[in-house]
Amino acid sequence: MSEVADRLLDALDERQREVAETLLGPVCVLAGAGTGKTRDITHRIAYGVATGAYDPSRVMALTFTTRAAGELLGRLRALGADGVAARTFHSAALRQLHYFWPIVAGGNPPRILDGKGPVLGQAAGALKLNLDTAALRDTAAEIEWRKVNKLSIDDYARAAQTRSLPSRLTVDSMVALQQRYETIKDERRQIDFEDVLLATAGMIEAEPRVADQVRSQYRFFVVDEYQDVSPLQHDLLSLWLGGRRELCVVGDASQTIYSFAGATSDYLVRFGSEYPDARIVRLEDNYRSTTPIITLANRLMRGRPGALTLHAASDGGESRGATPSVTKHVDDAAEAASIAQSIARRIDDGTPPESIAVLYRINTQSIALESALARFGVPVQSRADSRFFDQIEVKQAIMLLRGASISITDEPLFKSVSDVLRGLGWRQDPPEGGGAERAKWESLNALLTLAEEAPAGTTLADFVRELQRRQQQQHAPTRAAVTLATLHAAKGLEWDVVYIAGLSEGLVPITFAQGLDAVDEERRLFYVGITRARRVLELSWAQRQTSARAERAPSRFLDEVRAPAAG
């Protein structure tokens, strides 16, 4: 075991080793973009397991998305740390709620709403409020904000005086709507997503037997993306810990981009105040981006609260790279055409399309970009699309592969998979152009690529089990397509080449970002976009919207990143 543990440390730099070797007591890792935080925390857990400091069944790694939890599990398994629980806050709470509800309250737990919209619509109808889908969606967001900030409806009524509400709703009507929403849920024995956390926290707080059982199950906690924790999640974590101190948190205040949903970096920044004897480790060596990209990112965040100063981990030629460009265009259509032409040229020169991304502030900006890329025959995948394993063709493929695995035992895996996929319309050559047909081909081809990359000796049954594991964890395969994504959706991802489009006032920062705090959030969002790029970063803006006369100004942030750093 000591040899395994030593090998784990050999893969880390000095600061990362400090994180891995600090196995007990409160630890706060301030990890800048590209510093390998997921690598750090998975090696720390694996090192704890390898040295015997951790019983893997008593470790809980927490994060915020199913995809991130799946990535943690995959990396831990590869490092020999099987048995560690890696979950989102909600999935961990839901498991406990389902287990303890029959014991504490008797019977089955309430049914969880798929979404708030239908119940909110009925509540609005009962109050004779004529609300469209957008207003209902904004109301749902207000409910979520209230609950994660642990506000009663009366508390919310006071807080709402300074909040921006849907245009047709006054504070009184918003309060009445939320009250009716809660009444309908209670009458139907239903709970929403946030209620899962509230109910679980309530059971642990009110029932000593529940608290004792939960705390006996898990002793060591690791929380990724700690800058995104909400007051409700922080309180639930405190209840899980029960006064114990075996907590490691990892985060970056400069990547706090969900404040509108109740996330706050306060718990990360003030971790040393909450735990005065905590070990604080700063990771600022960036292993992702070239020096010019890192320099630009540092300029943007210079002097901001909690900001880290990134350094290129290597001073070699690859780290120096090209200076990020800033280009100006007449309108959105011209900007999209220029980006599409540039991407097509890069692909023709040998850059894999899956290593390229175009990022933007709001989803509607993707329309012109998709159209322009289609004209150049560039395959695209959108992060706004349905999740990979939710696509009809992918579900059909897995079902057919599972059926085929019952009878096929000695055939080469690639042949078995390709035969099944041909039955769903896959062909060796992709369809011309873009659209739904090309998207379907890309999805099926991604499954075939997984089969091609599977270890020697993998049977069809093994392959199906791997697909089902990926499906459960939403661990989608890489597709040979350029990614289109909002800046929010790009969080946690990276590409060799990144284009950030639409960098004008009104988009970045967005029009409704009023006040210093809101503009600072937009700054952090731009920073997240910049730090997604490994080698090439192209920034652009358009003087006006296509077919519009009103002129735009370039984003105020462009002046900051283009200016030399102050001495």
Side-chain angles (χ1 to χ4, degrees):
M1 294 298 289
S2 62
E3 291 181 7
V4 173
D6 288 343
R7 284 199 300 271
L8 288 167
L9 293 182
D10 288 343
L12 306 177
D13 66 25
E14 183 180 352
R15 286 293 188 184
Q16 293 169 342
R17 286 174 67 108
E18 182 181 353
V19 173
E21 292 180 303
T22 308
L23 295 172
L24 302 177
V27 180
C28 177
V29 184
L30 301 175
T35 58
K37 66 179 179 60
T38 305
R39 174 189 180 86
D40 301 339
I41 58 176
T42 51
H43 276 71
R44 179 181 186 271
I45 294 170
Y47 182 72
V49 172
T51 57
Y54 297 163
D55 175 346
S57 67
R58 301 195 67 191
V59 180
M60 171 73 82
L62 293 159
T63 187
F64 289 85
T65 67
T66 303
R67 181 185 62 80
E71 182 180 357
L72 284 175
L73 277 176
R75 293 200 190 193
L76 288 168
R77 185 183 297 112
L79 293 172
D82 284 330
V84 172
R87 300 185 184 123
T88 65
F89 274 89
H90 279 91
S91 65
L94 185 59
R95 282 172 176 256
Q96 294 175 12
L97 184 67
H98 279 156
Y99 180 81
F100 289 112
W101 187 279
I103 299 171
V104 173
N108 295 323
R111 187 172 68 83
I112 300 173
L113 292 174
D114 292 331
K116 297 179 178 66
V119 175
L120 273 174
Q122 291 162 14
L127 295 171
K128 296 184 169 42
L129 295 171
N130 183 21
L131 301 179
D132 58 18
T133 301
L136 291 175
R137 190 166 56 242
D138 288 342
T139 302
E142 285 296 288
I143 292 172
E144 291 158 12
W145 181 85
R146 170 175 66 82
K147 291 186 177 184
V148 301
N149 280 287
K150 306 186 304 172
L151 299 179
S152 68
I153 291 182
D154 287 342
D155 292 334
Y156 174 80
R158 290 185 285 272
Q161 303 291 336
T162 57
R163 288 185 63 77
S164 176
L165 303 180
S167 57
R168 298 182 185 179
L169 289 173
T170 63
V171 171
D172 288 344
S173 59
M174 172 64 83
V175 168
L177 183 55
Q178 293 198 33
Q179 288 172 330
R180 184 58 62 96
Y181 166 80
E182 297 297 338
T183 298
I184 293 174
K185 282 200 300 100
D186 291 345
E187 290 172 348
R188 298 176 180 176
R189 290 194 77 250
Q190 295 176 325
I191 58 176
D192 59 30
F193 212 42
E194 292 68 41
D195 291 334
V196 171
L197 300 185
L198 288 164
T200 303
M203 285 195 303
I204 297 172
E205 202 163 21
E207 296 285 340
R209 55 182 169 163
V210 173
D212 289 344
Q213 195 165 341
V214 168
R215 291 165 190 163
S216 67
Q217 174 66 58
Y218 296 110
R219 178 185 172 190
F220 303 98
F221 288 83
V222 177
V223 187
D224 193 13
E225 304 287 6
Y226 200 61
Q227 77 279 350
D228 288 336
V229 77
S230 71
L232 175 56
Q233 289 164 333
H234 177 265
D235 278 10
L236 180 57
L237 177 63
S238 296
L239 287 166
W240 282 334
L241 283 164
R244 295 170 299 173
R245 304 164 60 75
E246 304 306 339
L247 172 65
C248 174
V249 302
V250 185
D252 179 9
S254 295
Q255 297 188 66
T256 307
I257 59 173
Y258 294 105
S259 297
F260 64 89
T264 173
S265 61
D266 287 352
Y267 300 115
L268 175 69
V269 174
R270 299 174 186 167
F271 192 83
S273 299
E274 187 174 0
Y275 298 94
D277 61 338
R279 175 74 68 89
I280 310 293
V281 183
R282 298 169 70 93
L283 301 181
E284 297 177 304
D285 286 339
N286 180 292
Y287 289 91
R288 176 188 299 159
S289 305
T290 62
T291 296
I293 293 171
I294 291 171
T295 300
L296 187 144
N298 284 336
R299 283 177 185 164
L300 183 66
M301 299 308 295
R302 185 181 178 88
R304 314 314 293 185
L308 300 166
T309 301
L310 300 177
H311 311 283
S314 169
D315 291 327
E318 179 66 19
S319 75
R320 288 196 291 271
T323 302
S325 68
V326 179
T327 56
K328 169 184 171 183
H329 301 279
V330 174
D331 57 24
D332 292 341
E335 181 183 23
S338 175
I339 290 172
Q341 185 176 35
S342 174
I343 289 174
R345 187 162 50 243
R346 289 187 187 280
I347 293 173
D348 287 344
D349 289 342
T351 302
E354 62 270 23
S355 68
I356 303 172
V358 186
L359 309 181
Y360 37 82
R361 180 61 178 84
I362 55 176
N363 276 315
T364 54
Q365 291 174 264
S366 69
I367 298 171
L369 290 162
E370 284 189 60
S371 177
L373 288 163
R375 288 198 299 273
F376 283 90
V378 174
V380 300
Q381 58 179 342
S382 172
R383 297 289 298 181
D385 291 343
S386 62
R387 295 188 296 186
F388 179 82
F389 287 103
D390 291 339
Q391 296 172 24
I392 293 175
E393 59 267 21
V394 174
K395 288 182 175 180
Q396 288 176 333
I398 293 175
M399 180 183 66
L400 292 173
L401 288 167
R402 186 167 61 243
S405 69
I406 297 172
S407 56
I408 298 176
T409 58
D410 57 355
E411 195 172 73
L413 177 62
F414 184 85
K415 181 180 185 307
S416 301
V417 175
S418 62
D419 285 348
V420 170
L421 298 184
R422 285 179 191 279
L424 289 171
W426 179 86
R427 297 292 180 268
Q428 188 168 356
D429 296 321
E432 302 235 348
E437 186 181 0
R438 177 61 180 255
K440 176 182 176 180
W441 184 90
E442 293 287 354
S443 295
L444 296 178
N445 198 62
L447 293 176
L448 192 60
T449 300
L450 283 179
E452 198 171 18
E453 295 173 349
T458 301
T459 66
L460 184 55
D462 294 334
F463 182 67
V464 169
R465 282 191 290 271
E466 171 63 11
L467 288 180
Q468 290 172 326
R469 183 191 67 78
R470 283 173 166 267
Q471 188 175 33
Q472 184 180 18
Q473 298 173 0
Q474 287 298 328
H475 181 195
T478 301
R479 293 169 52 190
V482 171
T483 298
L484 299 181
T486 65
L487 290 165
H488 280 100
K491 178 75 169 63
L493 303 173
E494 59 186 75
W495 297 270
D496 285 344
V497 181
V498 170
Y499 295 78
I500 305 182
L503 290 170
S504 61
E505 289 290 309
L507 286 172
V508 181
I510 198 75
T511 304
F512 54 75
Q514 301 296 319
L516 294 177
D517 289 345
V519 171
D520 266 352
E521 182 110 335
E522 295 290 301
R523 176 191 300 276
R524 294 191 296 269
L525 192 56
F526 184 29
Y527 175 82
V528 165
I530 290 170
T531 54
R532 300 310 93 196
R534 297 189 192 109
R535 297 188 299 102
V536 177
L537 177 64
E538 306 275 2
L539 310 176
S540 61
W541 66 284
Q543 286 180 286
R544 64 177 183 270
Q545 189 174 358
T546 305
S547 303
R549 294 183 179 180
E551 293 278 325
R552 294 171 174 152
S555 169
R556 68 194 74 177
F557 301 140
L558 287 178
D559 285 338
E560 295 184 34
V561 298
R562 284 187 289 199

